[in-house]
């Protein structure tokens, strides 16, 4: 199947991922992982992966790097 390559990484759900799971993403360190969790708690969650760019410290470059590694459900 051609989708095998994309299944190598389990996509992290931005609304349920633990801090440790968020830290596994490229460019996401301690402070950004905490910012993602804080955003999720104050805004009631992410409705689309692009909402990640509203989080402090997450710019377009990082978003582009990890967009294939994240999902929202």
């Amino acid at each position: 199947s051609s989708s095998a390559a994309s299944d190598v990484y389990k996509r992290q759900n931005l609304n349920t991922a633990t801090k440790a799971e968020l830290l596994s993403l490229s460019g996401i360190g301690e402070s950004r992982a905490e910012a993602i969790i804080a955003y999720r708690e104050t805004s009631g969650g992410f409705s689309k992966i692009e909402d990640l760019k509203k989080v402090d410290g997450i710019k377009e470059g990082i978003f582009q790097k990890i967009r294939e590694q994240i999902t929202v459900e």
Side-chain angles (χ1 to χ4, degrees), residues 37-65:
I37 291 169
Y39 176 89
R40 183 165 88 190
E41 289 169 354
T42 55
S43 70
F46 295 88
S47 50
K48 56 186 191 295
I49 63 169
E50 286 77 13
D51 286 345
L52 187 60
K53 291 184 279 187
K54 296 178 185 171
V55 175
D56 281 346
I58 311 246
K59 300 280 179 281
E60 185 68 28
I62 289 181
F63 176 75
Q64 293 302 333
K65 232 195 310 193

Side-chain angles (χ1 to χ4, degrees), residues 11 36 55 67:
R11 286 179 184 249
I36 290 169
V55 175
R67 61 182 308 167

Side-chain angles (χ1 to χ4, degrees), residues 12-25:
Q12 299 299 344
N13 181 344
L14 293 176
N15 287 322
T16 59
T18 63
K19 186 169 162 186
E21 288 171 332
L22 292 170
L23 288 171
S24 72
L25 298 167

